[in-house]
Amino acid sequence: MLWVAILALVMTVAAVAVAGRRALFLFKLATSGPPAPERIEYAKTHVPEELKAQIVEVFGQKKLLKWTPSGIAHFFVMWAFFILLTVYIEAYGAIIQGAITGEPDFHIPIIGQWAVLGFLQDFIAVACLLGLVAFAVIRIKNSPKTEGRKSRFFGSHLGGAWLVLFMIFNIIWTLFLARGAASANGNLPYDSGAFVSIGLGNILPASTLLEEIALLLHIGFMLVFLVIVVNSKHLHIFTAPLNVLFSRRPDGLGEAPEMRIDGKPVDFEDEDLDPEKLGRGKIGDTTWKGFLDFYSCTECGRCQSQCPAWNTDKPLSPKMLILDQRDHAFKVAPYLLPGADTSHAGQDVLALLDKPLVGEDGVIHPDVLWSCTNCGACVEQCPVDIEHIDHILDMRRYQVMVESSFPSEAGVMIKNLENKANPWGMSEMKRADWIEELDFEVEVVDEKLSEDTEYLFWVGCAGALEDRAKKTTKAVAELLHIAGVKFAVLGPMEACTGDPARRLGMEFIFNMLAKQNIETLTEVGAKKIVATCPHCFNTLANEYPQLGGQFEVVHHTQLLAKLVDEGKLVPINPIEEKITYHDPCFLGRHNKVYSQPRDIMSKVPGVQTQEMHRHKDRGFCCGAGGARMWMEERLGKRINTERVDEALTTDPDTVSTACPFCLVMLGDAINEKKNGGQAKESLEVVDVAQLLIRSVKS
């Protein structure tokens, strides 16, 4: 057994050295860019939340288990890695003990002969084998060769995936061979429980040589697998728990990340501000958290399968957005590391180093960058917490503020925000015009909110200035009036929250508008705010705290559902209609408000609700988020048309939603369908509040 111990030791040292060298390289590459101290600080100060995330997402595989059977298969394969660590302790222990005493009958102290452990080892190995079969079937069934763009594996590095499946298969069969041979020789630690190993031991010949060769084969395949893992996409085995640990909680949705330079929040009033550091223009500007995203991508394509841009034949695939950056980073990696000498680099390498992240000849094509609606489907579905939107926003910030390169239509919106504080460029005096259409008075704040005012009603630009959205505004105001809720509006004092500017990448304009609004809200004494626009709601509640604006903010569906539950609003008039509800992305995925709009509709007599195929956390975008509301959609099928096509499959009388952007986008698509004779003339899109006021008013 001595020769086995020597050979095993040599193989182990060699493999660990090769893997360790690669790990050191990956660490140096990840830390070559700007720091991200806020990630470490958050993890340190939110230990319970991070511990829960590890238990639920890493060990519990919550996100993957949403997708069965692939989720179940991955669950067992992943747990095989943990449980079978005990087999390696036994294997190395047997080799060492055999070399010393000549009797390789080693067992782990205390638990090493427990039949339950033996059963778990064999059970999880069998489950792992079945998982490999499931993976193979799924990959064959969803092959890009047959499914094309519909395959979530389209664009993935397929060869590496098959190699890893083959290597795991080799590890499992050699594990059973080694344990079966050990059982035949009387060296297996278990007298019962290990049902496969003991069964094999009953049919295998008693042979010391067979046991030794099987042990070496098993360890050898494991070590080769280790080297492959650290050089492939399966690096996520080690980096995914770290990526989950340093991700934003509860997920990478809601607020856009604060813009930082060298780890510090950007001060736009700083005279020494280096504009070249705004956003991300080159791969070397990526923080270590960004590199963790690169390392953790498993190329599973779940993000791609849910992306509204990809599903409407646009070039954006969230998966390939990450992979293209990762592949480029590895190409130029030797020259990104600290102290790298580029003096002897060839022209090709220097060209790669200077390659912009975004451009016609860049790593990411502009059409990819500007196709994103910020809907969050990619982040919601990613099993390893990659933050795709953060990458997109960082690149947009550089394009907009440094390169001045963005869709021309958005330039008009930016000028209007800068000059008139609303995207349409209308006079601020028009913000209160909708009040004249009501038959009761609405308090418009002059200097301070009245002491008995419970809510400040944040109307928003669309709610005040867009005709279709104004119907929602008036419905909400009337419902609050009926319920006896004292509220007030800012009127001309209200300005755009800055969401379109921030999502476009114009952080400077967002900063300006946000500070102006925070100052106004503070001066008037606003504490509780109700907003009808999910984009305003998200910005006020989640992003203004970055600049010191702390307010209690609710969406109108949350407040109305509460008033209905309390009996202050009583739906009495039946609405005999079949209604399908569209989840606004910034209300649903970004802020997890799914139940309240549905609760309101369920209380309205006569309403029959029918869910679309894609709803709640798998809902499909209307196409207006990410500042796309102010950009032309020239590539592929229009996203709002795709969504309305899905809505029409439910044969609705009405499509309801809870967002002014969705109201406009879905309404436009339905009108097109009506003109083409593909939708009934009576079909309309309304806000949930409009349904409620119809039922409440006698």
Side-chain angles (χ1 to χ4, degrees):
M1 202 72 173
L2 181 60
W3 70 276
V4 177
I6 293 172
L7 190 53
L9 178 63
V10 171
M11 289 193 305
T12 302
V13 170
V16 170
V18 172
R21 186 170 181 269
R22 176 68 174 179
L24 182 61
F25 161 77
L26 293 170
F27 175 79
K28 287 182 177 179
L29 177 60
T31 53
S32 63
E38 73 280 4
R39 303 291 186 151
I40 297 174
E41 183 62 29
Y42 185 89
K44 285 166 60 178
T45 55
H46 293 76
V47 174
E49 291 94 329
E50 297 298 349
L51 183 61
K52 179 183 177 182
Q54 293 294 315
I55 293 171
V56 172
E57 293 189 33
V58 178
F59 295 102
Q61 300 278 278
K62 179 184 177 181
K63 285 190 173 182
L64 274 165
L65 287 173
K66 291 179 180 179
W67 300 81
T68 53
S70 60
I72 295 173
H74 193 279
F75 179 87
F76 284 118
V77 173
M78 184 273 298
W79 271 99
F81 281 96
F82 294 132
I83 295 174
L84 295 183
L85 286 175
T86 58
V87 172
Y88 289 105
I89 296 172
E90 292 172 352
Y92 277 99
I95 289 172
I96 294 169
Q97 185 167 305
I100 296 172
T101 67
E103 298 292 334
D105 58 348
F106 173 83
H107 66 268
I108 300 171
I110 303 174
I111 62 169
Q113 293 179 301
W114 191 26
V116 173
L117 179 58
F119 172 80
L120 277 176
Q121 290 170 335
D122 278 18
F123 169 78
I124 202 67
V126 170
C128 181
L129 275 178
L130 294 175
L132 297 181
V133 173
F135 285 149
V137 170
I138 289 168
R139 286 189 169 275
I140 292 170
K141 184 180 177 182
N142 296 290
S143 171
K145 290 182 180 178
T146 56
E147 296 293 310
R149 280 177 62 104
K150 292 182 180 179
S151 169
R152 62 184 174 94
F153 302 118
F154 186 93
S156 298
H157 299 82
L158 302 176
W162 285 110
L163 175 61
V164 165
L165 290 181
F166 177 66
M167 289 304 301
I168 298 175
F169 169 72
N170 286 327
I171 289 171
I172 299 299
W173 77 257
T174 54
L175 175 145
F176 281 130
L177 179 63
R179 285 164 66 85
S183 178
N185 292 330
N187 295 325
L188 189 70
Y190 311 100
D191 295 326
S192 62
F195 58 101
V196 178
S197 302
I198 293 172
L200 282 172
N202 292 334
I203 61 175
L204 288 174
S207 168
T208 302
L209 181 61
L210 177 62
E211 182 179 355
E212 291 172 343
I213 292 174
L215 264 177
L216 285 175
L217 272 175
H218 181 54
I219 289 173
F221 277 123
M222 181 273 292
L223 293 172
V224 172
F225 178 71
L226 172 65
V227 173
I228 290 173
V229 162
V230 296
N231 285 275
S232 72
K233 73 186 185 73
H234 285 80
L235 178 65
H236 77 274
I237 292 171
F238 302 113
T239 59
L242 292 174
N243 207 43
V244 171
L245 175 65
F246 294 114
S247 293
R248 293 192 280 127
R249 294 281 153 240
D251 52 35
L253 297 172
E255 76 271 20
E258 196 172 12
M259 177 178 273
R260 291 172 177 266
I261 293 179
D262 297 328
K264 298 177 182 178
V266 173
D267 179 4
F268 286 102
E269 296 177 3
D270 184 0
E271 294 180 357
D272 297 324
L273 176 66
D274 182 359
E276 288 293 327
K277 290 188 175 183
L278 295 173
R280 191 146 54 95
K282 293 182 180 178
I283 199 68
D285 299 329
T286 308
T287 67
W288 58 262
K289 176 56 177 68
F291 274 97
L292 263 184
D293 281 350
F294 299 161
Y295 297 165
S296 300
C297 182
T298 69
E299 304 184 24
C300 67
R302 285 176 175 81
C303 58
Q304 180 174 287
S305 71
Q306 299 298 297
C307 177
W310 184 259
N311 275 279
T312 52
D313 297 322
K314 295 172 180 60
L316 169 62
S317 158
K319 174 184 71 179
M320 288 189 277
L321 178 97
I322 297 298
L323 297 188
D324 288 345
Q325 291 181 85
R326 184 188 73 188
D327 293 347
H328 176 66
F330 282 147
K331 286 178 184 176
V332 300
Y335 303 97
L336 289 179
L337 300 180
D341 182 11
T342 60
S343 59
H344 301 293
Q347 289 300 314
D348 291 344
V349 173
L350 292 175
L352 272 177
L353 279 171
D354 292 332
K355 192 173 186 177
L357 260 185
V358 179
E360 296 286 342
D361 298 315
V363 180
I364 306 297
H365 194 278
D367 287 342
V368 170
L369 188 71
W370 297 111
S371 293
C372 179
T373 65
N374 279 206
C375 73
C378 49
V379 179
E380 176 73 34
Q381 296 301 333
C382 180
V384 293
D385 282 7
I386 292 171
E387 295 161 350
H388 311 78
I389 293 178
D390 291 9
H391 288 264
I392 288 170
L393 285 178
D394 265 350
M395 287 186 274
R396 283 187 174 187
R397 286 164 172 170
Y398 186 87
Q399 291 302 300
V400 173
M401 291 190 286
V402 179
E403 296 289 331
S404 295
S405 176
F406 51 90
S408 58
E409 317 92 65
V412 177
M413 179 265 290
I414 287 295
K415 285 182 180 177
N416 288 336
L417 286 178
E418 194 169 8
N419 297 328
K420 294 292 185 179
N422 70 77
W424 289 281
M426 297 173 72
S427 168
E428 65 271 15
M429 299 311 296
K430 289 184 174 293
R431 284 186 176 271
D433 285 358
W434 61 273
I435 298 175
E436 297 173 7
E437 300 172 32
L438 299 174
D439 57 6
F440 58 90
E441 289 188 9
V442 173
E443 178 189 351
V444 179
V445 181
D446 184 13
E447 293 182 356
K448 284 277 186 182
L449 284 169
S450 305
E451 287 191 10
D452 60 343
T453 301
E454 189 175 356
Y455 285 95
L456 174 72
F457 181 10
W458 186 274
V459 179
C461 301
L465 305 172
E466 207 282 327
D467 288 340
R468 285 168 284 188
K470 279 199 272 187
K471 294 178 182 178
T472 304
T473 303
K474 290 183 286 185
V476 171
E478 195 164 359
L479 286 165
L480 295 180
H481 176 69
I482 292 170
V485 175
K486 178 73 172 171
F487 70 96
V489 298
L490 289 175
M493 293 171 63
E494 187 180 289
C496 178
T497 59
D499 168 81
R502 175 165 248 198
R503 297 290 165 170
L504 181 74
M506 181 54 84
E507 191 76 7
F508 172 73
I509 299 295
F510 165 76
N511 194 275
M512 177 187 76
L513 290 168
K515 286 183 175 178
Q516 175 185 329
N517 283 325
I518 291 170
E519 183 179 350
T520 300
L521 290 168
T522 304
E523 285 179 354
V524 302
K527 291 182 174 60
K528 294 202 291 187
I529 301 172
V530 57
T532 54
C533 175
H535 298 264
C536 295
F537 165 59
N538 180 69
T539 307
L540 291 165
N542 300 324
E543 298 183 348
Y544 277 17
Q546 296 172 355
L547 298 171
Q550 300 284 348
F551 309 102
E552 182 184 334
V553 189
V554 296
H555 187 255
H556 74 280
T557 56
Q558 293 175 304
L559 179 55
L560 295 180
K562 177 172 174 284
L563 294 173
V564 171
D565 287 343
E566 291 174 350
K568 294 180 179 178
L569 290 173
V570 182
I572 51 174
N573 296 323
I575 298 178
E576 303 292 345
E577 294 180 5
K578 187 177 181 182
I579 299 175
T580 189
Y581 175 71
H582 164 79
D583 286 284
C585 300
F586 275 75
L587 183 63
R589 265 192 299 268
H590 280 274
N591 286 283
K592 309 299 181 284
V593 179
Y594 297 116
S595 62
Q596 288 92 333
R598 290 172 170 84
D599 289 345
I600 291 171
M601 290 190 295
S602 70
K603 302 287 175 61
V604 176
V607 166
Q608 300 174 50
T609 56
Q610 175 66 52
E611 294 283 11
M612 285 182 256
H613 175 66
R614 292 177 288 205
H615 63 280
K616 293 188 177 178
D617 63 349
R618 293 192 193 177
F620 199 78
C621 184
C622 74
R628 290 288 327 171
M629 181 82 168
W630 291 274
M631 299 182 222
E632 286 298 323
E633 194 171 345
R634 298 184 176 92
L635 300 173
K637 183 179 181 180
R638 295 182 70 88
I639 293 174
N640 60 341
T641 302
E642 171 74 9
R643 186 53 164 168
V644 164
D645 282 342
E646 185 174 3
L648 291 177
T649 63
T650 68
D651 189 29
D653 298 308
T654 300
V655 177
S656 67
T657 188
C659 170
F661 289 5
C662 297
L663 203 67
V664 170
M665 297 297 285
L666 299 180
D668 287 348
I670 284 176
N671 287 336
E672 287 179 11
K673 294 293 179 182
K674 287 180 181 179
N675 293 335
Q678 297 164 290
K680 49 193 175 187
E681 283 299 319
S682 59
L683 181 62
E684 60 177 346
V685 186
V686 300
D687 190 278
V688 171
Q690 292 172 262
L691 289 172
L692 184 59
I693 193 66
R694 282 171 56 190
S695 184
V696 167
K697 285 182 71 174
S698 59

